[in-house]
Amino acid sequence: MAEPSASAQQAKRRKKSQHVATIAIHGGDQHDPGHGAIFPPITTASTFIQPNLGEEGRFAYSRVGNPTRSAYETALMDLEGGVYCTATASGMAATSLALELLDQNSHLIVMSGVYGGTHRLFEQVRRRSSGLDFTYLNLNNVEQVCDNIRENTRMIWLETPTNPLCELVDISKLVSAVRAKQPDPQKIIICADNTFATAWNQQPLKFGVDLVMLSTSKFIGGHSDMIGGALITSNEAIGAKLKFLKSAVGAVAGPFDAYLALRGLKTLDVRMERQCSNAQKVAEFLEKHPRVMEVYYP
């Protein structure tokens, strides 16, 4: 569990390096107080011995906080430039947890062409179970976005690039337009699914987004051997709410998956550089191919 930290503490920690490649390796609190291991060990304990009766230590119960998960969460938090992170059992669990920030019958404006699993959760589950209402728009049309903000609009959900058509959203333009109409992030939360881009390509929190969602099964883990998700926020109040909700709902990442994802994170920079470079070459080749009508690539 990554505790919400004061801005001064965050700034001090991030002075180590502002370079994504270095943060991916050394970010967060990865020290091992037990044996000084260079890489955090897998701590599988469900419960932890407390200092004294009525005195709670840093970890008490692994649903609430676990040493392996905490090391991973703080690394992701630093990577995205946030103040709080919670790692979940899957990307869909992270999306579900983000929706727990909203009251019943809330309205969301969602990027058209959003990931199919997200659309399924929104339309086939939360519309029924929570009374949530969704409007799907091209979020680059900020005038249309603002025109569709209602009294009960509580979240803007953007995904950039989208999965699978790789459509992009101008994050800064969207945030500026929404905040001009509703400046309070407690009224309208702007959440970005940063799964495809990762912090290697963009850090939405730096553009004014309040919450970042990741399916860490993809590029963060990087080896197709784990399932996971995460929510990272730059807002202390949202972080405090997520801290409560993740323990109440309980869809947290297990220590094995947290370990695998943290291991994969170490090579994020070299993997993303090669993957993006290769994808660019493939896109350029296909764009010139006489039998290819259109190429969907940023």
Side-chain angles (χ1 to χ4, degrees):
M1 174 181 60
E3 300 291 339
S5 57
S7 299
Q9 292 175 319
Q10 181 204 18
K12 183 179 179 181
R13 179 171 57 249
R14 287 180 59 80
K15 279 181 182 177
K16 295 177 184 176
S17 174
Q18 293 294 325
H19 199 283
V20 168
T22 304
I23 296 172
I25 298 171
H26 300 295
D29 181 8
Q30 299 187 44
H31 80 284
D32 170 28
H35 304 284
I38 196 169
F39 193 86
I42 303 173
T43 303
T44 59
S46 59
T47 53
F48 299 82
I49 297 171
Q50 301 306 296
N52 212 330
L53 183 64
E55 183 182 348
E56 190 171 301
R58 183 181 177 189
F59 301 103
Y61 188 59
S62 272
R63 171 165 47 81
V64 179
N66 173 276
T68 311
R69 190 169 76 242
S70 179
Y72 169 48
E73 288 171 334
T74 55
L76 280 180
M77 181 180 72
D78 275 3
L79 190 70
E80 289 285 352
V83 298
Y84 180 80
C85 170
T86 182
T88 60
S90 69
M92 293 313 304
T95 301
S96 296
L97 184 60
L99 297 182
E100 297 294 344
L101 291 165
L102 310 179
D103 291 334
Q104 189 177 14
N105 300 321
S106 292
H107 172 246
L108 294 84
I109 296 176
V110 184
M111 177 64 180
S112 57
V114 74
Y115 169 56
T118 303
H119 187 272
R120 180 174 58 241
L121 174 67
F122 288 176
E123 292 296 327
Q124 297 183 35
V125 181
R126 291 308 180 97
R127 188 181 285 275
R128 171 187 57 80
S129 65
S130 301
L132 299 183
D133 193 15
F134 305 91
T135 299
Y136 299 90
L137 301 171
N138 179 350
L139 299 187
N140 288 304
N141 188 338
V142 295
E143 292 80 10
Q144 189 178 36
V145 170
C146 291
D147 287 344
N148 278 272
I149 291 178
R150 308 175 188 169
E151 186 64 31
N152 65 331
T153 301
R154 293 293 176 265
M155 182 174 282
I156 310 291
W157 187 277
L158 64 126
E159 184 180 310
T160 178
T162 58
N163 177 4
L165 294 184
C166 292
E167 295 178 88
L168 301 178
V169 176
D170 187 332
I171 300 175
S172 294
K173 184 179 178 181
L174 174 67
V175 170
S176 296
V178 173
R179 287 293 170 246
K181 184 154 187 174
Q182 176 48 263
D184 187 357
Q186 300 304 312
K187 294 289 182 63
I188 297 181
I189 298 171
I190 303 175
C191 181
D193 182 339
N194 202 31
T195 297
F196 265 23
T198 77
W200 191 85
N201 281 297
Q202 65 184 14
Q203 293 170 298
L205 297 177
K206 290 187 176 181
F207 295 108
V209 164
D210 307 300
L211 188 64
V212 163
M213 194 288 292
L214 298 172
S215 171
T216 57
S217 319
K218 313 300 190 299
F219 296 115
I220 297 296
H223 295 84
S224 301
D225 59 2
M226 54 79 61
I227 296 292
L231 291 175
I232 305 101
T233 183
S234 57
N235 185 293
E236 297 278 0
I238 294 174
K241 290 178 182 178
L242 288 174
K243 178 185 175 184
F244 168 78
L245 288 168
K246 59 93 179 175
S247 298
V249 176
V252 296
F256 281 98
D257 285 329
Y259 173 88
L260 289 172
L262 184 58
R263 180 206 62 179
L265 187 62
K266 305 289 186 183
T267 59
L268 177 71
D269 178 63
V270 292
R271 288 187 288 103
M272 291 302 293
E273 190 282 327
R274 181 59 62 88
Q275 287 166 330
C276 290
S277 174
N278 287 350
Q280 182 69 29
K281 291 174 183 176
V282 171
E284 290 173 358
F285 169 79
L286 293 174
E287 195 171 43
K288 298 173 183 176
H289 199 286
R291 294 190 177 184
V292 176
M293 296 179 62
E294 189 168 0
V295 176
Y296 294 95
Y297 189 73

